[in-house]
Amino acid sequence: MAGPALGRSRAIDHLRNLVILGLILFHTARLFDTEPWHIKDAGRYAAADVLIGVFNVGQMPLLFFLAGITAMHSLAAREAGRYVRERLQRLGLPLVAGILLVVPPQVYVERLAAGLDGRASPIDLAPGTGFLDFYPGFFDCCYPAANFSWHHLWFLAYLLVYALVLLPVFVIARRPGPRALLERAGARVAAAGPAALLAPGLPVLLAEILLRPDFPSTHALAGDWANHLHFGLLILLGGWFALSPALGAAAERHCRLLLIIAAVATALAVTAWMTGALPVPVLRRSLRVAGEWATILGLLGWAGRRLAAPIPGLSDVTRFAFPFYIVHQTVIVVSGYLLLGWSGQPLVKYLVIVLVSGLVSWGLARALAATALTRLLFGIKSERPGIIPGRSQTSRSI
């Protein structure tokens, strides 16, 4: 991005914060859409499908891209060995803690939701089974046929694996020779205009065309090859953008056009997905990847222009975004289970669950920062004395 390093750091943190907070909207909508999920409302609503489709295009890809940017910035301030230790601590420990402490209550509630159609794994607990009685059975592998799962924490597992596997590439890219080549290549792409900015997304499209038919998304790590190539390329592209300020500056200059392209491509991709109006798989995947990459570039440019300064409220989210992500889906499932029987209008019910889940997740994220042990287990950095609240020191990867 075009501004100084501190401004870039703030913009990336703020953009990531918005995406993570938006997960409350996304995962609450999963209670009401037409595809199987952990628990379901009695009704199914096309509006929820539209919302899910729009979020699916760019949400997680953007998080992986931003992780690539922050990984490259992190390696500028620390040696590779320290970087590995920090990744194991900030991703590995929270992954284990989340599997042991956060996911089991969600699976327990799923098993209590007897009789609700649309559950991804409709296994029912015997009436009167308490959580402590259920907990040993959580380790029966594997979901959906049994209980053990990492659920939404797949993202942490994937980030950790990519951080380790791609580390040699990032270390080499930071060396003077390769870095100069990447900077010059970025400058040429940036100077060629907005159409050239879309070209780096072509490898992602090729990955989808070649691998997606044989490797549908599973989030199981093993054998999820289409996702691995897709997300791995996005992390590498994020690293390239971190090394080439000209690319970020070009995204800022053209962000309005990029966001228009993103909106049009996403609308067409979601329409094709919902209606089956575009039966040629290559065309459907092309629309989706075009929407994804234009969304990433457009939001990156918008963040550089609008989010580089401290923003009251949003800047405060940075320290708590990671634990918020870890707890939010379990809170949504539990809140949904408690409120789905309510006969209110679906939109009102959706908004109430969003509000309740958001507030409870935020409260839990704040509470987890209260002790050294919970900060360690959930990847929360301690506040440093003398730091101005809301000021980002370095862009943090999650």
Side-chain angles (χ1 to χ4, degrees), residues 58-385:
Q59 180 177 248
M60 298 310 293
L62 178 56
L63 286 177
F64 280 108
F65 178 84
L66 296 179
I69 292 178
T70 53
M72 189 64 78
H73 287 325
S74 294
L75 284 167
R78 51 186 58 77
E79 295 179 350
R82 182 184 166 194
Y83 173 82
V84 169
R85 290 192 299 272
E86 289 186 352
R87 292 303 87 201
L88 290 172
Q89 178 178 320
R90 298 239 19 248
L91 294 172
L93 274 181
L95 175 61
V96 173
I99 290 173
L100 295 178
L101 300 174
V102 177
V103 176
Q106 180 177 335
V107 179
Y108 172 68
V109 169
E110 294 176 43
R111 303 316 190 209
L112 289 178
L116 290 179
D117 294 331
R119 286 184 295 158
S121 179
I123 300 173
D124 298 332
L125 282 177
T129 303
F131 177 71
L132 294 180
D133 297 321
F134 161 80
Y135 188 78
F138 171 73
F139 298 96
D140 295 339
C141 196
C142 287
Y143 194 94
N147 294 321
F148 187 77
S149 173
W150 50 36
H151 273 31
H152 64 294
L153 301 183
W154 68 268
F155 177 56
L156 307 190
Y158 280 45
L159 272 186
L160 178 58
V161 170
Y162 300 157
L164 301 178
V165 170
L166 297 178
L167 177 60
V169 178
F170 275 63
V171 170
I172 292 171
R174 290 204 61 84
R175 292 175 179 171
R179 179 168 186 163
L181 289 174
L182 290 169
E183 287 179 346
R184 288 197 295 271
R188 287 196 293 270
V189 171
L197 279 177
L198 296 175
L202 292 175
V204 179
L205 174 59
L206 186 61
E208 286 292 302
I209 292 172
L210 294 179
L211 293 184
R212 187 63 66 187
D214 296 320
F215 299 99
S217 180
T218 66
H219 299 159
L221 192 62
D224 199 13
W225 296 115
N227 274 342
H228 290 323
L229 186 55
H230 188 136
F231 296 144
L233 285 169
L234 289 175
I235 287 180
L236 292 174
L237 286 168
W240 182 28
F241 272 64
L243 291 179
S244 181
L247 289 171
E252 290 183 24
R253 288 195 304 273
H254 303 298
C255 70
R256 290 188 179 89
L257 175 60
L258 291 167
L259 288 173
I260 291 171
I261 294 172
V264 173
T266 298
L268 292 174
V270 172
T271 300
W273 166 63
M274 291 184 63
T275 64
L278 197 61
V280 182
V282 171
L283 295 180
R284 290 200 308 270
R285 294 188 180 100
S286 297
L287 281 175
R288 182 184 173 110
V289 172
E292 173 188 312
W293 185 238
T295 296
I296 289 171
L297 293 178
L299 289 178
L300 182 72
W302 173 76
R305 296 177 66 171
R306 302 297 183 189
L307 303 182
I311 300 174
L314 187 59
S315 296
D316 298 330
V317 171
T318 299
R319 184 167 179 248
F320 306 103
F322 191 49
F324 184 94
Y325 173 82
I326 292 173
V327 303
H328 84 280
Q329 183 167 293
T330 293
V331 173
I332 289 172
V333 169
V334 173
S335 301
Y337 175 72
L338 296 175
L339 294 172
L340 286 179
W342 171 40
S343 60
Q345 294 296 318
L347 178 58
V348 175
K349 186 160 47 175
Y350 169 79
L351 293 175
V352 168
I353 296 174
V354 164
L355 179 61
V356 170
S357 300
L359 291 175
V360 172
S361 298
W362 179 250
L364 287 173
R366 301 278 306 210
L368 290 170
T371 72
L373 177 60
T374 51
R375 288 195 297 270
L376 175 65
L377 291 178
F378 289 90
I380 307 169
K381 289 191 174 182
S382 299
E383 288 185 309
R384 300 179 191 175

Side-chain angles (χ1 to χ4, degrees), residues 20-37:
I20 290 176
L21 292 174
L23 288 167
I24 290 287
L25 301 175
F26 172 76
H27 282 129
T28 301
R30 292 304 317 269
L31 298 169
F32 300 93
D33 71 337
T34 57
E35 293 191 344
W37 201 53

